[in-house]
Amino acid sequence: MVDVQNVTKSYGAVRALSDVSFSIEAGTIVGLLGPNGAGKSTLMKILTGYLQPDGGSVGIEGFDVLTHRQQAQERIGYLPENAPLYPELTVQEYLMMMADVRRVPRDRQASALTDAVRATGLGPMLTRPIGQLSKGYRQRVGIAQAILHRPKLLILDEPTVGLDPTQLLEIRQLVRDLAKTSTVLFSSHILPEVEALCDRAVMIMGGVIRADAQLSELAKSGSARLVLDAAVDDASVADALRALPGAREVVSERPRPDRAAFVVRSDDDVDLCPAIFDLAKRSDWPLRELRSETRTLESVFNDLARDAAPAPSAA
């Protein structure tokens, strides 16, 4: 559905994107993550054909955005962070105008509007001026205009910013429903939103992709936690664990007087639990707990941000 290859973009001396490459399969929800100023909005504008990259290529369902812009844009529904709404128009007037802008054939406009209004729950608001709507309903109007032409790809830039908890849950469910018929690229810096909605996350920092993986893969930490009864020698247990193939680091602690705990970190996120279990069984250790540790998206994001941060200069 989406194929981005070696895209770069600069604004004067500022490099916004540097050699960005990734692809998106049809039928998935992908979260585009990054701090403010990371290059997310620039990338989305390039994907939609609004901005031209300095280098690289972007394909939407096989159509190059630079050489076949109209064909690519016909397949895209786009909600920018600040949706271009007209407060003096009613919801119906605005959507009818956008149907013309989207070149929806006149004989299909009635059904297209009906489907978009039903999908976004805007029926009770059709005759209300947009300027009188709540933030949540304005976001729904923005999404409705993006899906009028039944796009294959739906690009949403920060669609939940500024919403209250109830509105946030409603928009979240709406995105899930839309994903049944469209591929969704969902930009956000709100990590719980990406965890709740997305199958995969692409993390961009400083214009460079730092991670691109399924959320289940990102959650793997390559760490195992072993808890034993207190009647063990911590140093000898730690030495035995360090000797395991693939073990990179062992941290021991006493979480309570009758327990000894060890966190074993591996190279290349290898699952060490089977090897640790065999070692505990051979060594006759009084095993209380053995489990793989998982990471939250927030911890992954923070680790990458810390690694990407420039080193402090010497005084």
Side-chain angles (χ1 to χ4, degrees):
M1 176 58 67
V2 179
D3 185 32
V4 178
Q5 296 295 326
N6 308 114
V7 166
T8 61
K9 179 65 179 178
S10 296
Y11 299 102
V14 177
R15 178 66 67 94
L17 297 173
S18 181
D19 200 30
V20 169
S21 298
F22 65 93
S23 60
I24 300 176
E25 298 297 324
T28 57
I29 306 179
V30 177
L32 182 61
L33 270 173
N36 291 330
K40 302 189 303 298
S41 292
T42 294
L43 178 57
M44 288 189 161
K45 290 174 182 177
I46 289 173
L47 287 175
T48 60
Y50 179 78
L51 278 181
Q52 184 169 333
D54 299 333
S57 64
V58 176
I60 306 295
E61 205 177 33
F63 291 98
D64 189 290
V65 172
L66 293 180
T67 59
H68 296 81
R69 180 173 300 177
Q70 181 174 330
Q71 292 94 326
Q73 289 178 333
E74 287 172 352
R75 288 157 171 79
I76 298 171
Y78 178 42
L79 175 64
E81 184 174 355
N82 297 305
L85 304 178
Y86 296 87
E88 69 278 7
L89 297 181
T90 66
V91 172
Q92 183 171 340
E93 290 169 342
Y94 173 73
L95 293 179
M96 291 175 65
M97 180 190 72
M98 292 306 298
D100 286 335
V101 172
R102 293 285 189 182
R103 297 183 180 179
V104 178
R106 287 299 177 93
D107 60 347
R108 287 176 41 206
Q109 285 192 7
S111 62
L113 262 68
T114 298
D115 290 346
V117 167
R118 183 181 295 118
T120 53
L122 285 170
M125 303 294 164
L126 276 178
T127 59
R128 294 272 297 274
I130 293 173
Q132 296 179 11
L133 300 182
S134 68
K135 171 71 172 177
Y137 272 111
R138 290 199 299 273
Q139 287 294 80
R140 288 171 182 264
V141 174
I143 294 174
Q145 64 80 24
I147 64 174
L148 272 172
H149 58 305
R150 300 182 178 93
K152 298 290 187 68
L153 173 65
L154 186 58
I155 298 178
L156 305 175
D157 192 358
E158 303 282 2
T160 60
V161 168
L163 302 186
D164 66 34
T166 299
Q167 295 168 338
L168 190 150
L169 290 173
E170 291 171 349
I171 295 297
R172 184 186 295 174
Q173 185 57 53
L174 173 57
V175 172
R176 288 196 191 97
D177 292 340
L178 294 172
K180 296 174 183 176
T181 56
S182 298
T183 300
V184 178
L185 179 61
F186 178 95
S187 167
S188 182
H189 63 272
I190 304 174
L191 303 183
E193 281 304 289
V194 175
E195 285 186 307
L197 278 170
C198 299
D199 308 305
R200 170 180 156 210
V202 176
M203 296 188 184
I204 184 169
M205 297 176 184
V208 177
I209 290 182
R210 300 290 179 180
D212 179 3
Q214 298 291 319
L215 293 191
S216 57
E217 291 297 316
L218 289 173
K220 293 180 179 178
S221 68
S223 295
R225 183 174 178 82
L226 171 69
V227 180
L228 306 174
D229 281 338
V232 296
D233 180 71
D234 291 23
S236 62
V237 171
D239 287 342
L241 292 170
R242 289 190 189 94
L244 288 172
R248 173 171 55 85
E249 181 183 13
V250 176
V251 178
S252 62
E253 60 180 13
R254 288 277 178 167
R256 44 188 278 190
D258 61 341
R259 297 285 187 271
F262 304 85
V263 175
V264 187
R265 298 188 176 95
S266 70
D267 294 319
D268 302 321
D269 292 344
V270 175
D271 183 7
L272 289 174
C273 282
I276 294 173
F277 179 79
D278 289 342
L279 176 61
K281 186 176 179 180
R282 292 195 309 269
S283 305
D284 199 26
W285 290 341
L287 183 63
R288 303 288 299 191
E289 178 186 350
L290 175 61
R291 59 179 171 83
S292 295
E293 294 199 318
T294 58
R295 296 183 293 182
T296 65
L297 193 59
E298 182 177 3
S299 66
V300 175
F301 185 88
N302 289 337
D303 288 345
L304 291 171
R306 187 165 48 249
D307 291 343
S313 59

